[in-house]
Amino acid sequence: MSHKSSKVIKKVNVSSSLESEDISLETTVPTDDVSSSEEREGTVKITKQLIERKELLHNLQLLKIELSQKNLMIDNLKVEYLTKIEELEEKLNDAIHQKQLLSLQLDSQLALQQEDARKHQALMKQEMETILLRQKQLEETNHQLRERAGDIRRSLRDLELTDECYEKLKSLPEDQLSIPEYVSVRFYEVVHSLRKELSDLQMKKESLTEELSGYRSQLKCLTESYEDERRSRSELEVRCQRLTLELADTKQLIQQGDYRQENYDKVKCERDVFEHELSELRRKHEILEVSYKTQTKERNDLAKELATIQQSLNLLQKDKDYLNRQNMELSVRCAHEEDRLERLQIQLEDAKKAREEMYEKYVASRQVTVYHYKAEYEKRLHEELEQIRLKTNQEIEQLRSTSKEMYERENRNLREARDNAVAEKERAVIAEKDSLRKYDQLLEQ
């Protein structure tokens, strides 16, 4: 493109030199030879028409060069945006694939746990045939476990804490906290941070809307000023056309022999005045064109800034929706785990009832071995309760670790997306500055 523009500039310089030579020749017309002066006036008309034609061709070539440059810039931007869209689609497909894998792993783990629970229940039924216990101890333990299950259920349903309660529980070590207190503390921390982020996003949204309204008002003022200048330019063009018509009429009068010899000085003065006015009008026209180009550039810059601000606002809205959706998913998971805990409690109660029934059956038939089997039953019961407690603790720890990893991974993805968006914005600004600099250089050439 630079090589072509240099060729065009060379051609324009050559044509301008030729035009200057023609103009210098026509100013040295003698006054005594009428026939030679008329022939040279015809050549002057031809050279002026050629000059105007060459100027129009030169302007057309410059406009074509500018149009090709802008088309190249638009194609480059399209390619960049298409590559970005493809990268984002690939990331989305990867995330969907990971989600499907995690769901399949969760289903397989649930199936394995259900099979383990069934096997464990079968073993418990086989062992119940050889176990005897007193009915009073079973009733007491059953009553205590029911009270404990009710307390855990009520505490898990009321997870919201006040600031004072949170500070008190946070000051205590984790070993002294119970499961509901620990869950409520973690829930308070997560929800409190999300609320803060939501309030910050709302403040940013309000500030961006204010800036958007300010930019719209500026754009309106610029369009009004542009319309005024366009009207003034059209008036000047009409005046220039009128003056060119008057100049043509005067040239026709000059061609009428004796009138030219008698009124040569008067016509020459009028011609000089008209040429001076024409040069001033051209100079004003060039100034108006330069101001028009600067205003169009400013309007395009404002439109680009407005588009970037709208895009950032849309991104913030998407982040807000994503956080709300995560909060809903976590609440659904918590409710699912509560239902699972209730089912496990029901299964435990059924097992205890079955143990009581088997105990009643074997009390009548084997009273001799009561004391021996009592100790074994108590020992096995304590072991089973300890195993159940360890399993519940392990499941709770797994849920905590998975939720923590999920939050960290999502926060990391959001940070990477934000950094990529900022880097892309900076690259676009740098590219825009380079293109403007090249455009200014071409205008200067």
Side-chain angles (χ1 to χ4, degrees):
M1 291 298 292
S2 62
H3 185 65
K4 289 182 180 179
S5 61
S6 63
K7 285 183 179 180
V8 172
I9 290 165
K10 287 180 182 178
K11 288 181 181 179
V12 171
N13 290 326
V14 172
S15 63
S16 62
S17 63
L18 291 171
E19 290 167 2
S20 62
E21 289 176 359
D22 293 334
I23 291 166
S24 63
L25 286 172
E26 75 177 25
T27 52
T28 58
V29 176
T31 56
D32 53 356
D33 194 357
V34 177
S35 63
S36 63
S37 64
E38 288 178 354
E39 290 176 357
R40 287 178 181 177
E41 284 175 359
T43 57
V44 166
K45 287 183 182 180
I46 293 166
T47 54
K48 284 186 177 181
Q49 289 177 358
L50 289 171
I51 289 164
E52 292 176 354
R53 185 177 178 184
K54 287 179 180 179
E55 287 179 355
L56 292 171
L57 290 170
H58 177 62
N59 293 325
L60 184 62
Q61 288 176 356
L62 291 175
L63 291 172
K64 286 180 180 179
I65 291 165
E66 291 177 359
L67 183 63
S68 64
Q69 290 176 356
K70 290 180 179 179
N71 287 324
L72 288 172
M73 289 171 68
I74 290 165
D75 293 332
N76 291 325
L77 290 172
K78 283 182 180 178
V79 172
E80 289 179 359
Y81 284 120
L82 287 172
T83 54
K84 289 176 185 177
I85 289 165
E86 289 177 356
E87 290 176 357
L88 290 172
E89 286 179 352
E90 289 178 357
K91 289 180 180 179
L92 181 63
N93 291 323
D94 293 334
I96 291 167
H97 182 64
Q98 289 179 0
K99 183 180 177 183
Q100 290 176 356
L101 290 174
L102 289 172
S103 62
L104 290 172
Q105 289 178 2
L106 183 62
D107 293 333
S108 63
Q109 288 178 0
L110 286 172
L112 291 171
Q113 287 179 0
Q114 286 178 359
E115 289 179 358
D116 293 334
R118 287 172 185 171
K119 290 178 182 178
H120 186 64
Q121 189 175 3
L123 291 172
M124 284 172 66
K125 286 181 180 179
Q126 290 176 2
E127 289 175 357
M128 271 184 242
E129 294 177 355
T130 61
I131 293 170
L132 295 171
L133 274 177
R134 290 177 298 175
Q135 188 174 0
K136 187 175 179 181
Q137 291 178 355
L138 287 170
E139 288 178 355
E140 290 177 357
T141 54
N142 191 8
H143 184 67
Q144 290 176 1
L145 288 171
R146 283 182 181 177
E147 289 179 353
R148 192 180 296 170
D151 295 333
I152 291 167
R153 201 176 293 133
R154 286 192 294 274
S155 61
L156 287 175
R157 286 177 182 171
D158 298 330
L159 293 175
E160 293 183 358
L161 292 174
T162 60
D163 295 333
E164 296 177 355
C165 294
Y166 172 71
E167 290 176 357
K168 288 179 182 179
L169 294 173
K170 189 69 177 176
S171 61
L172 295 173
E174 292 184 356
D175 297 332
Q176 294 180 5
L177 293 174
S178 62
I179 292 170
E181 290 176 351
Y182 183 80
V183 172
S184 61
V185 168
R186 294 299 180 191
F187 184 75
Y188 178 82
E189 289 176 356
V190 173
V191 172
H192 189 66
S193 62
L194 290 174
R195 285 175 180 171
K196 284 183 179 179
E197 289 179 359
L198 184 62
S199 62
D200 294 334
L201 290 172
Q202 287 178 355
M203 294 289 287
K204 287 180 183 178
K205 183 181 177 182
E206 291 176 358
S207 62
L208 288 172
T209 51
E210 290 177 358
E211 290 178 0
L212 183 63
S213 62
Y215 286 139
R216 283 179 179 172
S217 62
Q218 289 179 4
L219 184 63
K220 187 177 179 181
C221 294
L222 288 172
T223 51
E224 290 177 356
S225 61
Y226 168 69
E227 290 294 331
D228 294 333
E229 290 182 358
R230 189 173 61 79
R231 286 195 294 271
S232 62
R233 181 183 174 185
S234 63
E235 291 176 358
L236 290 171
E237 286 178 353
V238 171
R239 186 178 176 187
C240 182
Q241 289 176 0
R242 189 171 63 250
L243 289 173
T244 52
L245 290 172
E246 290 178 357
L247 184 63
D249 294 334
T250 53
K251 285 181 179 179
Q252 287 179 1
L253 293 173
I254 288 168
Q255 289 177 0
Q256 294 176 0
D258 296 333
Y259 180 79
R260 183 184 174 209
Q261 292 178 359
E262 293 174 356
N263 299 319
Y264 178 75
D265 295 330
K266 183 178 178 181
V267 170
K268 187 177 180 181
C269 292
E270 289 179 354
R271 187 188 67 182
D272 294 333
V273 170
F274 286 139
E275 287 179 353
H276 181 67
E277 289 180 357
L278 183 62
S279 64
E280 288 182 354
L281 290 171
R282 284 180 179 175
R283 184 172 57 80
K284 290 179 181 179
H285 181 66
E286 289 176 356
I287 292 166
L288 288 172
E289 281 184 350
V290 172
S291 63
Y292 171 70
K293 288 179 181 179
T294 55
Q295 286 181 359
T296 52
K297 190 196 292 184
E298 290 176 356
R299 186 180 66 183
N300 292 324
D301 294 334
L302 290 172
K304 289 178 181 178
E305 290 178 358
L306 182 64
T308 54
I309 290 166
Q310 190 70 32
Q311 189 177 4
S312 63
L313 185 63
N314 291 325
L315 289 172
L316 290 172
Q317 188 68 32
K318 288 179 181 178
D319 292 336
K320 180 182 174 183
D321 295 333
Y322 184 68
L323 291 172
N324 289 325
R325 191 163 58 250
Q326 283 183 350
N327 193 2
M328 292 294 290
E329 288 178 357
L330 288 173
S331 63
V332 170
R333 286 182 182 176
C334 185
H336 181 66
E337 292 299 326
E338 287 178 359
D339 293 334
R340 187 178 175 188
L341 183 62
E342 288 178 358
R343 287 196 297 272
L344 289 172
Q345 291 293 334
I346 292 165
Q347 289 178 2
L348 183 62
E349 289 176 359
D350 293 334
K352 287 176 181 178
K353 288 179 181 179
R355 285 177 187 175
E356 290 176 1
E357 291 175 358
M358 294 302 294
Y359 173 71
E360 289 176 357
K361 287 179 181 179
Y362 282 95
V363 164
S365 62
R366 297 182 183 180
Q367 291 181 357
V368 179
T369 58
V370 169
Y371 295 103
H372 178 68
Y373 289 117
K374 243 185 238 180
E376 289 182 358
Y377 177 74
E378 288 176 355
K379 187 178 178 181
R380 289 182 181 177
L381 180 64
H382 285 298
E383 289 176 356
E384 289 172 0
L385 291 172
E386 188 67 25
Q387 288 178 2
I388 291 166
R389 186 175 65 79
L390 289 172
K391 282 185 179 180
T392 53
N393 290 325
Q394 287 177 1
E395 289 176 356
I396 289 166
E397 289 296 329
Q398 287 178 359
L399 286 172
R400 286 177 187 167
S401 62
T402 53
S403 62
K404 187 176 180 181
E405 289 176 358
M406 184 180 69
Y407 277 119
E408 289 177 355
R409 186 170 61 253
E410 289 173 354
N411 289 323
R412 188 167 60 253
N413 290 325
L414 289 172
R415 289 194 196 98
E416 290 176 357
R418 184 185 65 190
D419 294 334
N420 291 325
V422 171
E424 288 174 0
K425 182 180 178 183
E426 291 177 355
R427 286 199 295 273
V429 171
I430 291 166
E432 184 181 1
K433 288 181 181 178
D434 293 333
S435 63
L436 289 172
R437 182 171 56 75
K438 289 179 182 179
Y439 180 70
D440 293 332
Q441 288 178 2
L442 289 171
L443 285 176
E444 289 175 358
Q445 290 176 2

